[in-house]
């Protein structure tokens, strides 16, 4: 396909993706108030006429004149990107797929089919522990002080937690795909288990904003379990690959096993020597000698 046709196809698919995002964003604008309430639900609200004293509850506020408008646009656009993801992901896939081999398409289908549920599970887990995280953070408020939380800060905190948990759940899937493509073996992954567990728990402690171990364990526990599931799958896949191809585990610079035992040599066959000169090969030595002068060919 010529370059101009590729650019025209890219333009059309981008237009379809943007139209789908714009349509979902407009629908999200209609229900923006419910979306704001849903995303800010983890914050324990103070009853009407009651202010936070000692970190028991908080009041969600808008701190600037443009904050209600910008926050509504931000939430609606985010909802449009997320809810319209099947459309623009399909458009992206339809543009890339013609250049992929059959085996690469199979791996891509498997990756997308597993990535979406894993990201959804991580996002759902983040939303479950958000109320605990918010309560722990609010409880640090000293007595006599009130919590006035900007709604855009609450939404940023919620979206950040959801994205972090969703992307963290993709780590085992990446390991499995590296094993399927032959980049990483299951035995090597199994040898990393001590460092991986330590790294996962340190990552959970750093990325979760709470000071209690609930958030850390809620993130690190499922990732550790998924890691061991990925290791088990990789070991089984390596065993299947070894049965199909015994040399599959050999590296490029590793010598294979060769049988270097010398074999007996059979009887020699006599070979007649070839004549060196053309006239010797034809047998006409007398006629050729008549055309030679001083031992050299004379073609004149």
């Amino acid at each position: 396909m010529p370059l101009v046709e590729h650019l025209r196809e890219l333009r059309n698919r981008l237009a379809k993706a943007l139209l789908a995002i714009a349509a979902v964003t407009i629908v999200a604008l209609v229900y923006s108030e419910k979306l704001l309430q849903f995303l800010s639900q983890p914050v324990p609200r103070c009853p009407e006429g009651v202010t936070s004293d000692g970190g028991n509850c908080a009041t969600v506020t808008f701190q600037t004149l443009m904050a209600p408008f910008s926050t509504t646009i931000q939430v609606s656009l985010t909802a449009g990107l997320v809810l319209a993801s099947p459309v623009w992901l399909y458009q992206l896939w339809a543009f890339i797929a013609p250049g992929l081999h059959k085996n690469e398409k199979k791996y891509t289908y498997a990756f997308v089919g597993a990535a979406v549920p894993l990201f959804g599970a991580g996002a759902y887990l983040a939303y479950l522990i958000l109320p605990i995280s918010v309560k722990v953070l609010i409880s640090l408020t000293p007595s006599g002080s009130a919590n006035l939380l900007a709604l855009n800060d609450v939404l940023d905190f919620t979206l950040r937690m959801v994205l972090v948990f969703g992307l963290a759940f993709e780590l085992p899937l990446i390991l499995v795909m590296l094993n399927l493509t032959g980049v990483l073996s299951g035995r090597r992954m199994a040898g990393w288990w001590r460092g991986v567990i330590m790294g996962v728990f340190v990552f959970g402690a750093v990325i979760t904003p709470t000071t209690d171990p609930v958030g850390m364990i809620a993130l690190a526990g499922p990732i550790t379990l998924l890691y061991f599931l990925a290791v088990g799958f990789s070991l089984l896949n390596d065993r299947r690959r070894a049965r199909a191809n015994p040399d599959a585990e050999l590296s490029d610079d590793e010598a294979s096993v060769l049988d270097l035992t010398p074999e007996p040599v059979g009887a020699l066959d006599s070979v007649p020597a070839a004549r060196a000169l053309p006239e010797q090969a034809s047998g006409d030595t007398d006629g050729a000698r008549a055309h030679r002068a001083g031992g050299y060919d004379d073609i004149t």
Side-chain angles (χ1 to χ4, degrees), residues 195-209:
V196 169
I197 292 177
M198 176 63 70
V200 166
F201 275 88
V202 171
F203 173 77
V206 172
I207 206 66
T208 53

Side-chain angles (χ1 to χ4, degrees), residues 22 77 80 98 111-112 127-128 132 144 149 176 181 200 224 227 258:
L77 183 59
F111 183 85
V112 174
Y127 193 78
L128 287 180
I132 302 175
L149 304 179
V176 168
T181 55
V200 166
T224 303
Y227 166 75
L258 299 177

Side-chain angles (χ1 to χ4, degrees), residues 18-218:
L18 291 176
L19 285 175
I21 294 174
V24 179
T25 301
I26 293 174
V27 175
L29 283 171
V30 179
Y31 299 96
S32 59
E33 184 176 354
K34 294 183 178 180
L35 286 174
L36 292 174
Q37 292 177 357
F38 174 76
L39 293 175
S40 61
Q41 188 176 359
V43 179
R45 303 296 185 91
C46 294
E48 186 177 355
V50 178
T51 58
S52 175
D53 188 6
N56 296 322
C57 60
T59 302
V60 179
T61 63
F62 290 105
Q63 297 182 352
T64 61
L65 182 62
M66 292 296 295
F69 175 77
S70 60
T71 304
T72 301
I73 296 297
Q74 177 187 358
V75 171
S76 302
L77 183 59
T78 303
L81 287 172
V82 173
L83 298 179
S85 57
V87 177
W88 58 263
L89 284 176
Y90 170 77
Q91 297 299 328
L92 177 62
W93 168 252
F95 181 75
I96 298 175
L100 298 178
H101 297 290
K102 183 178 180 181
N103 196 30
E104 294 172 338
K105 291 181 181 180
K106 180 181 67 175
Y107 286 151
T108 305
Y109 286 135
F111 183 85
V112 174
V116 174
L118 285 175
F119 185 88
Y124 181 72
L125 180 61
Y127 193 78
L128 287 180
I129 70 169
L130 269 173
I132 302 175
S133 304
V134 173
K135 287 180 180 179
V136 171
L137 293 175
I138 291 178
S139 65
L140 301 177
T141 304
S143 179
S145 300
N147 283 305
L148 301 177
L149 304 179
L151 183 58
N152 55 347
D153 292 338
V154 174
L155 297 179
D156 289 340
F157 176 78
T158 303
L159 294 176
R160 190 180 300 114
M161 288 286 292
V162 168
L163 289 176
V164 167
F165 273 66
L167 294 177
F169 271 53
E170 304 293 340
L171 174 62
L173 179 61
I174 295 175
L175 295 177
V176 168
M177 295 304 297
L178 290 177
N179 177 261
L180 290 175
T181 55
V183 178
L184 193 61
S185 65
R187 183 178 300 178
R188 180 173 298 180
M189 284 191 289
W192 294 345
W193 71 272
R194 295 180 181 86
V196 169
I197 292 177
M198 176 63 70
V200 166
F201 275 88
V202 171
F203 173 77
V206 172
I207 206 66
T208 53
T210 59
T211 56
D212 64 310
V214 175
M216 177 186 67
I217 296 176

Side-chain angles (χ1 to χ4, degrees), residues 11 32 42 55 126 145 171 178 185 234 242-243 256 263 281 291:
R11 181 196 61 186
S32 59
S145 300
L171 174 62
L178 290 177
S185 65
S234 300
R243 287 197 302 265
S256 59
E263 298 180 357
H291 296 285

